[in-house]
Amino acid sequence: MRDLTGRVAAVTGAGSGIGRALALALASEGCQLALCDVDEKGLSETGKLLEARSAKHSLARVDVADREGVFGWAEQVVEDHGAAHLIFNNAGVALGATVQRMTIEELEWLMAINFWGVVYGTKAFLPHLERAGEGHVVNLSSVFGLIAFPTSGAYNAAKFAARGFTEALSIELRAAGSPIVATVVHPGGIRTAIARNARIGSAEPDVISLEERERLFDETARTTADQAAQVILRGVKRDKRRVLVGPDARVFSGLQRLFPTLYQRLLALAAKRRPTGIV
Ligand SMILES: NC(=O)c1ccc[n+]([C@@H]2O[C@H](COP(=O)([O-])OP(=O)(O)OC[C@H]3O[C@@H](n4cnc5c(N)ncnc54)[C@H](O)[C@@H]3O)[C@@H](O)[C@H]2O)c1
């Protein structure tokens, strides 16, 4: 979709980070915005930033893990804006826990948001995009949807699944000659609130505080949310099926492709050296 002017774009998790930056960048492209989040305060702050730019927008408190809620929101978006052309399934959370120690409930919590949230958003909006005669489904995976990482098993499972789901959809749409495009996005470290909002597994030993994790994350995450949004929109405008965000994402993608098992040995070695187990 080369020209986004006048299109209606829906973004989940728009109260912070990449979702907020996407909303602002889409507004600059002349889009109307339909935004949702569970964090009403963050969402209303995004709304204020859009008001300052006179961008037409609607805000809704929607939990992407709630199937009825997401389908209801999609109907509401079309009622409020007249159509829907783009859906960014962006809302996400993180969990730091080894596979051995994470509880099934913790895994289910993460999958409900990071995987099922993507599925519901895609399924709820796709018929509306088809009705509009053009559209783009943009699903946020991660570099952790390309490579596995210690203490990220739940996150890896959801992000690998989001990638498989989106790539299958993309192939189906192409095969059917559909005007809809599906893109999977793999950001590397992006400086957002994701580490602050992360949960640590309830059975994890208390070797590192959440503040320390945040500090480590901020040190390694080099790309800003605004830069990430620009890269994602460039990919959308070029109908890219896969978008890598940040130099670290390109390095990890290359590492995975060239050394699909060696990278695991290297990460295990690095994890062994750290008291946290986090590389
Ligand atoms: N920041 C990174 O380094 C990074 C890297 C790779 C992928 N990602 C992915 O990018 C996406 C955006 O993350 P971010 O970095 O901007 O994080 P963030 O924490 O800054 O923003 C995530 C937003 O999602 C919202 N959210 C959480 N659970 C929700 C739910 N159940 N329903 C609706 N909204 C919900 C939060 O309230 C928050 O506003 C996520 O899918 C994340 O996994 C982030």
Side-chain angles (χ1 to χ4, degrees), residues 16 18 37 62-64 90 155 159 187-188 190 192-194 197 217:
S16 173
I18 300 173
D37 205 298
V62 177
D63 179 350
V64 296
N90 162 78
Y155 193 80
K159 295 298 188 181
I190 315 294
T192 67
I194 193 140
N197 294 336
F217 178 77

Side-chain angles (χ1 to χ4, degrees), residues 228-243:
Q230 290 305 331
V231 173
I232 294 168
L233 291 199
R234 203 180 313 137
V236 167
K237 290 205 265 184
R238 291 179 185 171
D239 284 345
K240 295 256 186 217
R241 268 53 179 192
R242 170 184 287 197
V243 174

